[in-house]
Amino acid sequence: MLGKVVIVGVGLIGGSFALALKAAGAVREVVGLERSPQALARALELGIVDVATTSPQEAMNGADLVLLAAPVAQTARILEALLPHLEPGTVITDAGSTKSDVAATARAVLGERARQFVPGHPIAGRESNGPDAALPDLYQGKKTVITPLPENAPGDVGLVAAAWRLCGAVIHTLTPGQHDSVFAAVSHLPHLLAFALVDDIAHKPHADLLFQYAASGFRDFTRIAGSSPEMWRDISLANRDALLTELDAYLAQLTALRARLAANDGPGLEAIYTNAQRARRAWSEAIETAEPPVPGSASNQEPQ
């Protein structure tokens, strides 16, 4: 049972965390700390938070756990605001999609008190944003990656893991560097590609005609281009080096595909398509086995 939990950023990720803890009966009080009075008021109206405030001092008084659920570029600003009110027993974690930069920021801002910061990343999401997008079962059966710092106390890491388990998540552990390399390939690059494709078509002189005939394949491939541009700008820049590596590899793959297409190389194209199909099916079967859908849940949503 958690006492006081503070959610910094009461949108989809933070709001779903709060709702899940409440649904589990695992928290006494949830306090929302947010820049936007409108978002705070809506979170209070929806029952996501019990107290809404724009005051870090009020929010941090007696807090057991603090979740930063804001764009990663805001991490330094938020930690600077929280630091003067950070009590010795309070643990801070985050939900950012990059971890090396967040860990470095925590050390730079918090100094020796970075030991109270345990980085994390829930692998779940939707293309919708804001308090109204929050769901109590968003994390059911989904992975949450924790990337502990060497200076973290085992008990603090355990607290963060326990909180996510109460939300229904399955805990995995990576180093910050491992995390960023993995997610550059399987999350950040796909988002970049989806944004790029939709932007390319939108700039064509006959864009209206093209969108008129875009069907389910286009919708499925580009769904994640409906995600927050601000958030994905920050993620792309924060994980720039790893993302550039993956983008270069993908460009090489496209060049190879183009060469086969230009050479009318049907067998070569089919070989690539067949390998991709086989890998996709194996991955899908593994996911279905490891993460059985929860009736009425959002477990079919792609990770962010």
Side-chain angles (χ1 to χ4, degrees):
M1 181 70 178
L2 294 162
K4 180 176 180 179
V5 173
V6 178
I7 309 294
V8 184
V10 292
L12 168 66
I13 298 301
S16 295
F17 183 77
L19 289 176
L21 290 178
K22 283 172 169 273
V27 62
R28 174 176 53 81
E29 180 183 43
V30 177
V31 177
L33 178 62
E34 173 70 65
R35 291 183 302 176
S36 166
Q38 293 82 8
L40 279 174
R42 185 57 176 158
L44 196 59
E45 180 183 357
L46 293 170
I48 293 172
V49 300
D50 304 306
V51 176
T53 183
T54 58
S55 166
Q57 181 176 6
E58 178 184 358
M60 296 294 286
N61 183 27
D64 295 307
L65 181 66
V66 180
L67 173 69
L68 309 188
V72 290
Q74 297 180 20
T75 303
R77 176 188 63 79
I78 294 170
L79 290 178
E80 287 167 355
L82 299 184
L83 179 57
H85 316 291
L86 177 59
E87 298 177 0
T90 303
V91 178
I92 304 178
T93 188
D94 79 307
S97 293
T98 56
K99 297 272 72 84
S100 296
D101 63 312
V102 167
T105 297
R107 289 188 173 110
V109 174
L110 300 179
E112 66 172 2
R113 303 193 72 181
R115 65 182 182 276
Q116 294 175 243
F117 183 90
V118 181
H121 177 203
I123 315 306
R126 308 167 68 197
E127 65 273 22
S128 304
N129 303 298
D132 286 280
L135 298 168
D137 56 4
L138 182 67
Y139 304 115
Q140 284 289 336
K142 296 299 183 181
K143 299 179 182 71
T144 288
V145 178
I146 296 178
T147 63
L149 307 179
E151 55 264 46
N152 290 148
D156 291 346
V157 176
L159 176 66
V160 173
W164 283 112
R165 287 194 185 99
L166 288 165
C167 296
V170 179
I171 304 302
H172 288 239
T173 302
L174 296 171
T175 68
Q178 288 171 333
H179 171 280
D180 291 352
S181 178
V182 167
F183 285 93
V186 299
S187 177
H188 307 167
L189 179 64
H191 278 80
L192 184 150
L193 300 178
F195 281 120
L197 177 60
V198 177
D199 183 64
D200 176 60
I201 292 178
H203 279 91
K204 294 183 184 296
H206 57 311
D208 289 345
L209 180 65
L210 296 175
F211 283 125
Q212 179 182 347
Y213 290 99
S216 59
F218 181 85
R219 181 190 63 232
D220 294 344
F221 183 81
T222 62
R223 179 187 62 79
I224 51 179
S227 302
S228 165
E230 177 190 15
M231 179 178 73
W232 282 100
R233 173 203 65 200
D234 292 348
I235 291 170
S236 299
L237 293 175
N239 204 22
R240 181 184 62 181
D241 291 345
L243 183 54
L244 284 172
T245 297
E246 295 301 329
L247 183 57
D248 287 343
Y250 191 80
L251 288 171
Q253 176 77 328
L254 288 179
T255 299
L257 277 169
R258 188 188 188 285
R260 287 172 171 78
L261 183 61
N264 202 32
D265 180 6
L269 288 173
E270 185 177 356
I272 293 173
Y273 296 167
T274 299
N275 183 59
Q277 180 196 57
R278 185 183 302 114
R280 177 60 166 76
R281 285 178 174 173
W283 168 79
S284 182
E285 291 169 2
I287 288 294
E288 289 173 2
T289 300
E291 300 179 0
V294 178
S297 80
S299 61
N300 63 335
Q301 297 292 346
E302 291 293 331
Q304 302 295 319

